[in-house]
Amino acid sequence: MGIHERKERERERRRQQIIVAAKRVFSEKGFNKATMEDIAHEAELSPGTLYLYFKNKDELYASLSLRILHYLLIRLEHLNSNAHSDIESRISGLKEAMYDVYEFDPMILINMFHLQSSDTLKNLTPELLSEIKNLSKRSLSEMAKLFQEGVQQGVFIDKHPMAIADTFWALFSGVILWETSKSIINEDKDYLRETLEIAFEIFDSGIKKHPQKSKTPKKAKTRNRQ
Amino acid sequence: MGIHERKERERERRRQQIIVAAKRVFSEKGFNKATMEDIAHEAELSPGTLYLYFKNKDELYASLSLRILHYLLIRLEHLNSNAHSDIESRISGLKEAMYDVYEFDPMILINMFHLQSSDTLKNLTPELLSEIKNLSKRSLSEMAKLFQEGVQQGVFIDKHPMAIADTFWALFSGVILWETSKSIINEDKDYLRETLEIAFEIFDSGIKKHPQKSKTPKKAKTRNRQ
Amino acid sequence: MGIHERKERERERRRQQIIVAAKRVFSEKGFNKATMEDIAHEAELSPGTLYLYFKNKDELYASLSLRILHYLLIRLEHLNSNAHSDIESRISGLKEAMYDVYEFDPMILINMFHLQSSDTLKNLTPELLSEIKNLSKRSLSEMAKLFQEGVQQGVFIDKHPMAIADTFWALFSGVILWETSKSIINEDKDYLRETLEIAFEIFDSGIKKHPQKSKTPKKAKTRNRQ
Amino acid sequence: MGIHERKERERERRRQQIIVAAKRVFSEKGFNKATMEDIAHEAELSPGTLYLYFKNKDELYASLSLRILHYLLIRLEHLNSNAHSDIESRISGLKEAMYDVYEFDPMILINMFHLQSSDTLKNLTPELLSEIKNLSKRSLSEMAKLFQEGVQQGVFIDKHPMAIADTFWALFSGVILWETSKSIINEDKDYLRETLEIAFEIFDSGIKKHPQKSKTPKKAKTRNRQ
DNA sequence: CATGAATGAGAGTTCATTCAT
DNA sequence: TATGAATGAACTCTCATTCAT
């Protein structure tokens, strides 16, 4: 009993040890140029050992994303479980969660965005792939649930909540990738935080119903043009 | 003189021939698994010849982005040159331009977004890198110019136009990457177009000034600053 | 004393357990692709345990042959111990023994033929190697003994009995290897049995003295020529 | 024209250069322990170059057999083309051919016998595999043709010529493998030649019809069946 | 300018073997 | 004695790049 649990714990610790090393190496050398031997060396293990815990390099690479996806999901679930709070404060909770997800591990988050829409995705074990899919889907659903409430309350624009969630997620990932890209090129000040705030502000305002405007103003304007 | 120009033209034609081949191969095999030999074969040239026109694989890879960046810039400049049109229709022209940029070459556009924030960026010749930087910056500036007008006219929220442009670009790239990612995983219907439309709608509405709502407390704050 | 014997017996039982497992794995995966871990798993033991009973993989591999060599030797000794039977029926007993050796374990027999004239042979412990040598030699000697009788009785051709035994053994192994090879390539009907029978028939007839023929006909011919 | 032929010739020369090196390395290190790098080094080429001429190690390994199979086939065809000679002398020509095949390249011949009935066979390109199959089949057929004549003339026993050919080939390969094996183990005198001669003698005599002997009981039996 | 054969470093991965428990 | 996690050397094979022609 105890012995089995201890083994299990140690196994998990080793996995973490490897993941931590992989993160360091990936950050340092870039995701493509890091070798399994580098990671093994960083983890103070032998190359062969890595394969006892991860099927191959891609799986190790992808596993990095799992933790952050888990974290994201937990935060979002927590957000939805506190059902009492009003929509405004929950949206602001959502944004806070996103900041925290970014802080949780910037490198890995970016890595995860890269992972999406790359060939790597296709080489994963079905299990890992479906775990990633599942976590993503559930996280997006949690977001959608949140937006749905606003839509039902008539506060948000009348769009499919899932589409709003997709937009939100796309905006978040887009800002992070683009600002990271800029700071790599320019190596000067990092505008990530500011841009993210502005982006969220625009998004916030954009999903709200603005009675006399939005579509209506267009008509009004159009009328004016005549 | 004439002879020099002809040479120059032929040289440029060869480059294009290679770029076209590279695009085909990258689209087919995925960007990582395409080999220089594949590309040479597709271009009906020998591998060695590729190196007469591109310093290395990364440069060829990155060069693909240049064409699309050029196209983007031209569209945006054109948009701003027709200075008479009102802000609304110019924003809608901007969106149209983005759709066209996507249609221009989806694979390469995604590739370009990947290129951003990847190691590849660091291995480029300074010339190529600065050309990419330059084109990006100019495109973003063109967008900013457009938003700035709205801000000045008091139609758009009172944010730095460059930040709005960054947000817009981030949203655009984020939606494309995320929807592509979803369609790779699920292989079912592609929601790219729909999500992009909703995203733009939200963005549109979000950058507009909506006097009586939501931001009221912030306005208070703003007022205080004065 | 008793305790020592019991230990010895248990040790031997474990060895057999491993050998049985090894046989199964080798048959299934082919001799090269079977791993020590596969075998350990099949034997429901850990990889490390295998090394308590066999010095290394080659030794385990070679040990499989020992059993079949033992079996062969016993059969041959039995054949020679029943000294009363006539030469014809003993030869037919020999052939029967060979069939049975094949049936005893086809995979291992083929494996054994491969083992001969391979590098593996050189990596064995001197003990194991000499045991194999010894068993082979004794088996061949038993065969030779049998042929010798025929030679002494003037029924068989006047050749060194050991050479006849070598020929017999070579014929036997050659047919098995060649027919196996054919059936691997063609995957159609297996002619092993038929070819083996014909081969034995030819051999039978070939080692008999045929007074007026064989060498004599040549002389006859020669005479005719004169 | 000339340029193409020259290239072709040079390509063939390189192939031979590699094959020669492979032969040397295989002989020295044993077929399993020889590495591609060893072979490349021996051929004074780089490892990568080997893969320009052979798909993989197995194919290189198997290609060694092709030359000897070619040689065998040519010898046998030549034997059958001289149709005038009597059966006796043609059989003796066959034996001579076998000796020469052995002399042609002992190592490779043994290698070829090993190749048969091994997993390697299954990993070859279909082309190479079918070339090997084809050459083997044709060689065996040539032998069969030869035996068939003897059968038709009533000089040889009344068996299917293909079965006789199989037996002959099995005997030949069996003797070589067994005698090689013995000489590896004992490192004393090599009896290959002697055993091969005796084996052929026995085979010769064994396939002849010997009217009044040996088979008489069987004939009796046959008669009884009628 | 174009070729394409040759390069050779280096990658991911496997697996026989060891050894602390 | 048995374990099985860890080892790490060694393997095959790839491919961006070069250079003699």
Side-chain angles (χ1 to χ4, degrees), chain C residues 114 117 119 123 133 159 166 178 182 185 201-202 206 212-213, chain D residues 30 33 114 117 133 159 166 178 182 185 201-202 206 209 212:
Chain C
H114 274 292
S117 63
D119 341 294
N123 297 335
K133 274 168 65 173
K159 299 289 172 189
D166 280 334
W178 175 236
K182 284 200 302 180
I185 293 181
E201 239 175 81
I202 291 172
Q212 68 285 53
K213 288 213 142 195
Chain D
K33 284 176 186 160
H114 273 291
S117 64
K133 273 169 67 173
K159 299 289 173 190
D166 281 334
W178 176 235
K182 285 200 303 179
I185 293 180
E201 237 174 83
I202 291 173
K209 260 195 183 140
Q212 69 287 48

PDB file of all heavy atoms in Angstrom, chain C residues 114 117 119 123 133 159 166 178 182 185 201-202 206 212-213, chain D residues 30 33 114 117 133 159 166 178 182 185 201-202 206 209 212:
ATOM      1  N   HIS C 114      21.535 -21.550 -37.252  1.00  0.00           N
ATOM      2  CA  HIS C 114      22.037 -20.200 -37.459  1.00  0.00           C
ATOM      3  C   HIS C 114      23.210 -19.908 -36.538  1.00  0.00           C
ATOM      4  O   HIS C 114      24.155 -19.241 -36.911  1.00  0.00           O
ATOM      5  CB  HIS C 114      20.931 -19.173 -37.190  1.00  0.00           C
ATOM      6  CG  HIS C 114      20.084 -18.926 -38.368  1.00  0.00           C
ATOM      7  ND1 HIS C 114      20.540 -18.304 -39.493  1.00  0.00           N
ATOM      8  CD2 HIS C 114      18.796 -19.235 -38.608  1.00  0.00           C
ATOM      9  CE1 HIS C 114      19.570 -18.226 -40.380  1.00  0.00           C
ATOM     10  NE2 HIS C 114      18.492 -18.794 -39.863  1.00  0.00           N
ATOM     11  N   SER C 117      28.322 -21.197 -37.146  1.00  0.00           N
ATOM     12  CA  SER C 117      28.934 -20.230 -38.057  1.00  0.00           C
ATOM     13  C   SER C 117      28.375 -18.815 -37.918  1.00  0.00           C
ATOM     14  O   SER C 117      28.060 -18.178 -38.903  1.00  0.00           O
ATOM     15  CB  SER C 117      28.841 -20.682 -39.519  1.00  0.00           C
ATOM     16  OG  SER C 117      27.520 -20.778 -39.946  1.00  0.00           O
ATOM     17  N   ASP C 119      28.807 -15.101 -35.236  1.00  0.00           N
ATOM     18  CA  ASP C 119      29.698 -14.470 -34.266  1.00  0.00           C
ATOM     19  C   ASP C 119      29.339 -14.857 -32.843  1.00  0.00           C
ATOM     20  O   ASP C 119      30.199 -14.943 -31.969  1.00  0.00           O
ATOM     21  CB  ASP C 119      29.621 -12.948 -34.365  1.00  0.00           C
ATOM     22  CG  ASP C 119      29.048 -12.521 -35.674  1.00  0.00           C
ATOM     23  OD1 ASP C 119      29.722 -12.779 -36.687  1.00  0.00           O
ATOM     24  OD2 ASP C 119      27.944 -11.956 -35.672  1.00  0.00           O
ATOM     25  N   ASN C 123      31.272 -15.364 -28.509  1.00  0.00           N
ATOM     26  CA  ASN C 123      31.062 -14.582 -27.292  1.00  0.00           C
ATOM     27  C   ASN C 123      30.581 -15.418 -26.111  1.00  0.00           C
ATOM     28  O   ASN C 123      30.280 -14.873 -25.049  1.00  0.00           O
ATOM     29  CB  ASN C 123      30.035 -13.478 -27.562  1.00  0.00           C
ATOM     30  CG  ASN C 123      30.530 -12.511 -28.608  1.00  0.00           C
ATOM     31  OD1 ASN C 123      31.740 -12.353 -28.798  1.00  0.00           O
ATOM     32  ND2 ASN C 123      29.614 -11.867 -29.301  1.00  0.00           N
ATOM     33  N   LYS C 133      29.976 -27.870 -28.011  1.00  0.00           N
ATOM     34  CA  LYS C 133      30.913 -28.662 -28.816  1.00  0.00           C
ATOM     35  C   LYS C 133      30.818 -30.134 -28.466  1.00  0.00           C
ATOM     36  O   LYS C 133      30.722 -31.006 -29.337  1.00  0.00           O
ATOM     37  CB  LYS C 133      32.359 -28.185 -28.561  1.00  0.00           C
ATOM     38  CG  LYS C 133      32.787 -27.021 -29.415  1.00  0.00           C
ATOM     39  CD  LYS C 133      34.079 -26.420 -28.931  1.00  0.00           C
ATOM     40  CE  LYS C 133      35.275 -27.370 -29.042  1.00  0.00           C
ATOM     41  NZ  LYS C 133      36.543 -26.661 -28.700  1.00  0.00           N
ATOM     42  N   LYS C 159      33.644 -45.197 -46.986  1.00  0.00           N
ATOM     43  CA  LYS C 159      34.100 -43.855 -46.630  1.00  0.00           C
ATOM     44  C   LYS C 159      34.252 -43.770 -45.119  1.00  0.00           C
ATOM     45  O   LYS C 159      33.668 -44.564 -44.368  1.00  0.00           O
ATOM     46  CB  LYS C 159      33.060 -42.811 -47.070  1.00  0.00           C
ATOM     47  CG  LYS C 159      32.814 -42.775 -48.563  1.00  0.00           C
ATOM     48  CD  LYS C 159      34.012 -42.178 -49.287  1.00  0.00           C
ATOM     49  CE  LYS C 159      33.840 -42.325 -50.785  1.00  0.00           C
ATOM     50  NZ  LYS C 159      35.056 -41.970 -51.528  1.00  0.00           N
ATOM     51  N   ASP C 166      28.806 -36.399 -41.065  1.00  0.00           N
ATOM     52  CA  ASP C 166      28.798 -34.967 -41.387  1.00  0.00           C
ATOM     53  C   ASP C 166      27.867 -34.681 -42.556  1.00  0.00           C
ATOM     54  O   ASP C 166      27.091 -33.729 -42.543  1.00  0.00           O
ATOM     55  CB  ASP C 166      30.219 -34.496 -41.734  1.00  0.00           C
ATOM     56  CG  ASP C 166      31.059 -34.253 -40.476  1.00  0.00           C
ATOM     57  OD1 ASP C 166      30.474 -33.972 -39.417  1.00  0.00           O
ATOM     58  OD2 ASP C 166      32.296 -34.348 -40.563  1.00  0.00           O
ATOM     59  N   TRP C 178      16.781 -24.503 -46.011  1.00  0.00           N
ATOM     60  CA  TRP C 178      16.369 -24.099 -47.349  1.00  0.00           C
ATOM     61  C   TRP C 178      14.848 -24.119 -47.510  1.00  0.00           C
ATOM     62  O   TRP C 178      14.255 -23.192 -48.078  1.00  0.00           O
ATOM     63  CB  TRP C 178      17.047 -24.981 -48.396  1.00  0.00           C
ATOM     64  CG  TRP C 178      16.609 -24.736 -49.817  1.00  0.00           C
ATOM     65  CD1 TRP C 178      16.108 -25.654 -50.684  1.00  0.00           C
ATOM     66  CD2 TRP C 178      16.632 -23.490 -50.526  1.00  0.00           C
ATOM     67  NE1 TRP C 178      15.809 -25.063 -51.885  1.00  0.00           N
ATOM     68  CE2 TRP C 178      16.114 -23.736 -51.817  1.00  0.00           C
ATOM     69  CE3 TRP C 178      17.037 -22.197 -50.188  1.00  0.00           C
ATOM     70  CZ2 TRP C 178      15.985 -22.740 -52.776  1.00  0.00           C
ATOM     71  CZ3 TRP C 178      16.897 -21.189 -51.148  1.00  0.00           C
ATOM     72  CH2 TRP C 178      16.377 -21.467 -52.422  1.00  0.00           C
ATOM     73  N   LYS C 182      12.408 -20.975 -48.228  1.00  0.00           N
ATOM     74  CA  LYS C 182      11.439 -20.908 -49.316  1.00  0.00           C
ATOM     75  C   LYS C 182      10.047 -20.561 -48.802  1.00  0.00           C
ATOM     76  O   LYS C 182       9.328 -19.765 -49.409  1.00  0.00           O
ATOM     77  CB  LYS C 182      11.394 -22.240 -50.071  1.00  0.00           C
ATOM     78  CG  LYS C 182      12.587 -22.465 -50.994  1.00  0.00           C
ATOM     79  CD  LYS C 182      12.275 -23.506 -52.061  1.00  0.00           C
ATOM     80  CE  LYS C 182      11.867 -24.837 -51.426  1.00  0.00           C
ATOM     81  NZ  LYS C 182      11.557 -25.861 -52.442  1.00  0.00           N
ATOM     82  N   ILE C 185       9.724 -16.887 -47.975  1.00  0.00           N
ATOM     83  CA  ILE C 185       9.618 -16.037 -49.159  1.00  0.00           C
ATOM     84  C   ILE C 185       8.274 -16.202 -49.844  1.00  0.00           C
ATOM     85  O   ILE C 185       7.616 -15.230 -50.192  1.00  0.00           O
ATOM     86  CB  ILE C 185      10.761 -16.360 -50.168  1.00  0.00           C
ATOM     87  CG1 ILE C 185      12.099 -15.945 -49.576  1.00  0.00           C
ATOM     88  CG2 ILE C 185      10.518 -15.654 -51.480  1.00  0.00           C
ATOM     89  CD1 ILE C 185      13.271 -16.197 -50.483  1.00  0.00           C
ATOM     90  N   GLU C 201      15.938 -40.454 -48.859  1.00  0.00           N
ATOM     91  CA  GLU C 201      15.937 -41.575 -49.800  1.00  0.00           C
ATOM     92  C   GLU C 201      17.213 -41.572 -50.629  1.00  0.00           C
ATOM     93  O   GLU C 201      17.873 -42.590 -50.783  1.00  0.00           O
ATOM     94  CB  GLU C 201      14.731 -41.455 -50.730  1.00  0.00           C
ATOM     95  CG  GLU C 201      13.799 -42.642 -50.664  1.00  0.00           C
ATOM     96  CD  GLU C 201      12.561 -42.393 -51.512  1.00  0.00           C
ATOM     97  OE1 GLU C 201      12.636 -42.584 -52.750  1.00  0.00           O
ATOM     98  OE2 GLU C 201      11.522 -41.967 -50.937  1.00  0.00           O
ATOM     99  N   ILE C 202      17.509 -40.389 -51.151  1.00  0.00           N
ATOM    100  CA  ILE C 202      18.721 -40.257 -51.966  1.00  0.00           C
ATOM    101  C   ILE C 202      19.951 -40.601 -51.137  1.00  0.00           C
ATOM    102  O   ILE C 202      20.837 -41.340 -51.580  1.00  0.00           O
ATOM    103  CB  ILE C 202      18.848 -38.818 -52.522  1.00  0.00           C
ATOM    104  CG1 ILE C 202      17.744 -38.570 -53.563  1.00  0.00           C
ATOM    105  CG2 ILE C 202      20.220 -38.579 -53.126  1.00  0.00           C
ATOM    106  CD1 ILE C 202      17.651 -37.124 -54.034  1.00  0.00           C
ATOM    107  N   GLY C 206      22.428 -43.538 -51.674  1.00  0.00           N
ATOM    108  CA  GLY C 206      23.774 -43.061 -51.988  1.00  0.00           C
ATOM    109  C   GLY C 206      24.860 -43.680 -51.142  1.00  0.00           C
ATOM    110  O   GLY C 206      26.012 -43.792 -51.577  1.00  0.00           O
ATOM    111  N   GLN C 212      27.720 -53.231 -59.188  1.00  0.00           N
ATOM    112  CA  GLN C 212      28.066 -52.999 -60.587  1.00  0.00           C
ATOM    113  C   GLN C 212      27.896 -51.569 -61.063  1.00  0.00           C
ATOM    114  O   GLN C 212      28.069 -51.254 -62.225  1.00  0.00           O
ATOM    115  CB  GLN C 212      27.238 -53.929 -61.475  1.00  0.00           C
ATOM    116  CG  GLN C 212      25.748 -53.622 -61.506  1.00  0.00           C
ATOM    117  CD  GLN C 212      25.046 -54.067 -60.235  1.00  0.00           C
ATOM    118  OE1 GLN C 212      25.440 -53.717 -59.115  1.00  0.00           O
ATOM    119  NE2 GLN C 212      24.005 -54.860 -60.392  1.00  0.00           N
ATOM    120  N   LYS C 213      27.481 -50.692 -60.153  1.00  0.00           N
ATOM    121  CA  LYS C 213      27.250 -49.316 -60.615  1.00  0.00           C
ATOM    122  C   LYS C 213      28.146 -48.284 -59.911  1.00  0.00           C
ATOM    123  O   LYS C 213      29.255 -48.600 -59.503  1.00  0.00           O
ATOM    124  CB  LYS C 213      25.783 -48.962 -60.410  1.00  0.00           C
ATOM    125  CG  LYS C 213      24.872 -49.682 -61.387  1.00  0.00           C
ATOM    126  CD  LYS C 213      23.707 -48.770 -61.704  1.00  0.00           C
ATOM    127  CE  LYS C 213      23.306 -48.883 -63.147  1.00  0.00           C
ATOM    128  NZ  LYS C 213      22.457 -47.774 -63.531  1.00  0.00           N
TER     129      LYS C 213
ATOM    130  N   GLY D  30      32.124  -9.669 -38.275  1.00  0.00           N
ATOM    131  CA  GLY D  30      30.887 -10.431 -38.186  1.00  0.00           C
ATOM    132  C   GLY D  30      29.742  -9.579 -38.685  1.00  0.00           C
ATOM    133  O   GLY D  30      29.759  -8.358 -38.552  1.00  0.00           O
ATOM    134  N   LYS D  33      27.858  -7.178 -36.023  1.00  0.00           N
ATOM    135  CA  LYS D  33      28.550  -6.116 -35.306  1.00  0.00           C
ATOM    136  C   LYS D  33      29.185  -5.063 -36.205  1.00  0.00           C
ATOM    137  O   LYS D  33      29.686  -4.049 -35.716  1.00  0.00           O
ATOM    138  CB  LYS D  33      29.582  -6.719 -34.352  1.00  0.00           C
ATOM    139  CG  LYS D  33      28.883  -7.295 -33.126  1.00  0.00           C
ATOM    140  CD  LYS D  33      29.814  -7.993 -32.175  1.00  0.00           C
ATOM    141  CE  LYS D  33      28.966  -8.658 -31.077  1.00  0.00           C
ATOM    142  NZ  LYS D  33      29.672  -9.735 -30.384  1.00  0.00           N
ATOM    143  N   HIS D 114      22.787 -17.526 -44.513  1.00  0.00           N
ATOM    144  CA  HIS D 114      22.238 -16.992 -43.273  1.00  0.00           C
ATOM    145  C   HIS D 114      21.037 -16.105 -43.553  1.00  0.00           C
ATOM    146  O   HIS D 114      20.062 -16.093 -42.813  1.00  0.00           O
ATOM    147  CB  HIS D 114      23.296 -16.162 -42.528  1.00  0.00           C
ATOM    148  CG  HIS D 114      24.141 -16.982 -41.643  1.00  0.00           C
ATOM    149  ND1 HIS D 114      23.665 -17.571 -40.509  1.00  0.00           N
ATOM    150  CD2 HIS D 114      25.438 -17.340 -41.726  1.00  0.00           C
ATOM    151  CE1 HIS D 114      24.643 -18.252 -39.927  1.00  0.00           C
ATOM    152  NE2 HIS D 114      25.732 -18.129 -40.652  1.00  0.00           N
ATOM    153  N   SER D 117      16.005 -17.557 -44.478  1.00  0.00           N
ATOM    154  CA  SER D 117      15.362 -17.861 -43.185  1.00  0.00           C
ATOM    155  C   SER D 117      15.838 -16.951 -42.059  1.00  0.00           C
ATOM    156  O   SER D 117      16.159 -17.416 -40.977  1.00  0.00           O
ATOM    157  CB  SER D 117      15.554 -19.325 -42.791  1.00  0.00           C
ATOM    158  OG  SER D 117      16.909 -19.648 -42.585  1.00  0.00           O
ATOM    159  N   LYS D 133      14.592 -13.543 -55.003  1.00  0.00           N
ATOM    160  CA  LYS D 133      13.700 -14.680 -55.252  1.00  0.00           C
ATOM    161  C   LYS D 133      13.853 -15.181 -56.678  1.00  0.00           C
ATOM    162  O   LYS D 133      14.005 -16.375 -56.926  1.00  0.00           O
ATOM    163  CB  LYS D 133      12.239 -14.254 -55.040  1.00  0.00           C
ATOM    164  CG  LYS D 133      11.751 -14.375 -53.623  1.00  0.00           C
ATOM    165  CD  LYS D 133      10.413 -13.683 -53.435  1.00  0.00           C
ATOM    166  CE  LYS D 133       9.263 -14.351 -54.194  1.00  0.00           C
ATOM    167  NZ  LYS D 133       7.960 -13.712 -53.837  1.00  0.00           N
ATOM    168  N   LYS D 159      11.956 -39.101 -59.374  1.00  0.00           N
ATOM    169  CA  LYS D 159      11.449 -38.071 -58.458  1.00  0.00           C
ATOM    170  C   LYS D 159      11.277 -36.767 -59.214  1.00  0.00           C
ATOM    171  O   LYS D 159      11.895 -36.552 -60.265  1.00  0.00           O
ATOM    172  CB  LYS D 159      12.444 -37.836 -57.306  1.00  0.00           C
ATOM    173  CG  LYS D 159      12.706 -39.045 -56.461  1.00  0.00           C
ATOM    174  CD  LYS D 159      11.492 -39.384 -55.612  1.00  0.00           C
ATOM    175  CE  LYS D 159      11.688 -40.704 -54.890  1.00  0.00           C
ATOM    176  NZ  LYS D 159      10.459 -41.174 -54.252  1.00  0.00           N
ATOM    177  N   ASP D 166      16.272 -29.138 -55.086  1.00  0.00           N
ATOM    178  CA  ASP D 166      16.214 -28.629 -53.710  1.00  0.00           C
ATOM    179  C   ASP D 166      17.161 -29.426 -52.809  1.00  0.00           C
ATOM    180  O   ASP D 166      17.883 -28.860 -51.992  1.00  0.00           O
ATOM    181  CB  ASP D 166      14.783 -28.714 -53.164  1.00  0.00           C
ATOM    182  CG  ASP D 166      13.897 -27.580 -53.657  1.00  0.00           C
ATOM    183  OD1 ASP D 166      14.447 -26.501 -53.977  1.00  0.00           O
ATOM    184  OD2 ASP D 166      12.670 -27.754 -53.723  1.00  0.00           O
ATOM    185  N   TRP D 178      27.854 -26.320 -42.107  1.00  0.00           N
ATOM    186  CA  TRP D 178      28.287 -27.218 -41.032  1.00  0.00           C
ATOM    187  C   TRP D 178      29.804 -27.289 -40.926  1.00  0.00           C
ATOM    188  O   TRP D 178      30.368 -27.238 -39.836  1.00  0.00           O
ATOM    189  CB  TRP D 178      27.664 -28.604 -41.230  1.00  0.00           C
ATOM    190  CG  TRP D 178      28.118 -29.631 -40.230  1.00  0.00           C
ATOM    191  CD1 TRP D 178      28.674 -30.855 -40.510  1.00  0.00           C
ATOM    192  CD2 TRP D 178      28.072 -29.546 -38.800  1.00  0.00           C
ATOM    193  NE1 TRP D 178      28.972 -31.531 -39.367  1.00  0.00           N
ATOM    194  CE2 TRP D 178      28.626 -30.753 -38.289  1.00  0.00           C
ATOM    195  CE3 TRP D 178      27.638 -28.574 -37.902  1.00  0.00           C
ATOM    196  CZ2 TRP D 178      28.744 -31.003 -36.921  1.00  0.00           C
ATOM    197  CZ3 TRP D 178      27.758 -28.823 -36.537  1.00  0.00           C
ATOM    198  CH2 TRP D 178      28.300 -30.019 -36.061  1.00  0.00           C
ATOM    199  N   LYS D 182      32.110 -26.093 -37.839  1.00  0.00           N
ATOM    200  CA  LYS D 182      33.096 -26.934 -37.173  1.00  0.00           C
ATOM    201  C   LYS D 182      34.455 -26.259 -37.141  1.00  0.00           C
ATOM    202  O   LYS D 182      35.150 -26.286 -36.112  1.00  0.00           O
ATOM    203  CB  LYS D 182      33.206 -28.294 -37.887  1.00  0.00           C
ATOM    204  CG  LYS D 182      32.035 -29.225 -37.608  1.00  0.00           C
ATOM    205  CD  LYS D 182      32.405 -30.675 -37.910  1.00  0.00           C
ATOM    206  CE  LYS D 182      32.865 -30.830 -39.355  1.00  0.00           C
ATOM    207  NZ  LYS D 182      33.243 -32.222 -39.650  1.00  0.00           N
ATOM    208  N   ILE D 185      34.621 -23.562 -34.501  1.00  0.00           N
ATOM    209  CA  ILE D 185      34.721 -24.103 -33.144  1.00  0.00           C
ATOM    210  C   ILE D 185      36.091 -24.706 -32.893  1.00  0.00           C
ATOM    211  O   ILE D 185      36.716 -24.464 -31.861  1.00  0.00           O
ATOM    212  CB  ILE D 185      33.624 -25.169 -32.900  1.00  0.00           C
ATOM    213  CG1 ILE D 185      32.243 -24.516 -32.905  1.00  0.00           C
ATOM    214  CG2 ILE D 185      33.856 -25.866 -31.571  1.00  0.00           C
ATOM    215  CD1 ILE D 185      31.111 -25.480 -32.664  1.00  0.00           C
ATOM    216  N   GLU D 201      29.456 -37.326 -53.901  1.00  0.00           N
ATOM    217  CA  GLU D 201      29.522 -38.726 -54.326  1.00  0.00           C
ATOM    218  C   GLU D 201      28.270 -39.479 -53.902  1.00  0.00           C
ATOM    219  O   GLU D 201      27.648 -40.203 -54.694  1.00  0.00           O
ATOM    220  CB  GLU D 201      30.743 -39.387 -53.679  1.00  0.00           C
ATOM    221  CG  GLU D 201      31.707 -39.991 -54.682  1.00  0.00           C
ATOM    222  CD  GLU D 201      32.959 -40.484 -53.982  1.00  0.00           C
ATOM    223  OE1 GLU D 201      32.923 -41.611 -53.453  1.00  0.00           O
ATOM    224  OE2 GLU D 201      33.954 -39.722 -53.931  1.00  0.00           O
ATOM    225  N   ILE D 202      27.929 -39.272 -52.625  1.00  0.00           N
ATOM    226  CA  ILE D 202      26.734 -39.939 -52.099  1.00  0.00           C
ATOM    227  C   ILE D 202      25.511 -39.487 -52.866  1.00  0.00           C
ATOM    228  O   ILE D 202      24.664 -40.297 -53.259  1.00  0.00           O
ATOM    229  CB  ILE D 202      26.563 -39.634 -50.588  1.00  0.00           C
ATOM    230  CG1 ILE D 202      27.683 -40.319 -49.791  1.00  0.00           C
ATOM    231  CG2 ILE D 202      25.192 -40.075 -50.099  1.00  0.00           C
ATOM    232  CD1 ILE D 202      27.724 -39.948 -48.320  1.00  0.00           C
ATOM    233  N   GLY D 206      23.165 -41.635 -55.108  1.00  0.00           N
ATOM    234  CA  GLY D 206      21.807 -41.705 -54.576  1.00  0.00           C
ATOM    235  C   GLY D 206      20.734 -41.379 -55.585  1.00  0.00           C
ATOM    236  O   GLY D 206      19.602 -41.864 -55.479  1.00  0.00           O
ATOM    237  N   LYS D 209      19.502 -44.672 -60.634  1.00  0.00           N
ATOM    238  CA  LYS D 209      18.667 -45.882 -60.503  1.00  0.00           C
ATOM    239  C   LYS D 209      19.576 -47.082 -60.323  1.00  0.00           C
ATOM    240  O   LYS D 209      20.517 -47.272 -61.081  1.00  0.00           O
ATOM    241  CB  LYS D 209      17.807 -46.051 -61.751  1.00  0.00           C
ATOM    242  CG  LYS D 209      16.402 -45.568 -61.564  1.00  0.00           C
ATOM    243  CD  LYS D 209      15.508 -46.070 -62.669  1.00  0.00           C
ATOM    244  CE  LYS D 209      14.104 -45.514 -62.496  1.00  0.00           C
ATOM    245  NZ  LYS D 209      13.523 -45.143 -63.808  1.00  0.00           N
ATOM    246  N   GLN D 212      18.633 -53.564 -59.244  1.00  0.00           N
ATOM    247  CA  GLN D 212      18.346 -54.749 -58.434  1.00  0.00           C
ATOM    248  C   GLN D 212      18.437 -54.567 -56.927  1.00  0.00           C
ATOM    249  O   GLN D 212      18.307 -55.515 -56.183  1.00  0.00           O
ATOM    250  CB  GLN D 212      19.277 -55.887 -58.863  1.00  0.00           C
ATOM    251  CG  GLN D 212      20.743 -55.665 -58.499  1.00  0.00           C
ATOM    252  CD  GLN D 212      21.413 -54.610 -59.374  1.00  0.00           C
ATOM    253  OE1 GLN D 212      20.873 -53.522 -59.587  1.00  0.00           O
ATOM    254  NE2 GLN D 212      22.591 -54.912 -59.864  1.00  0.00           N
TER     255      GLN D 212
END
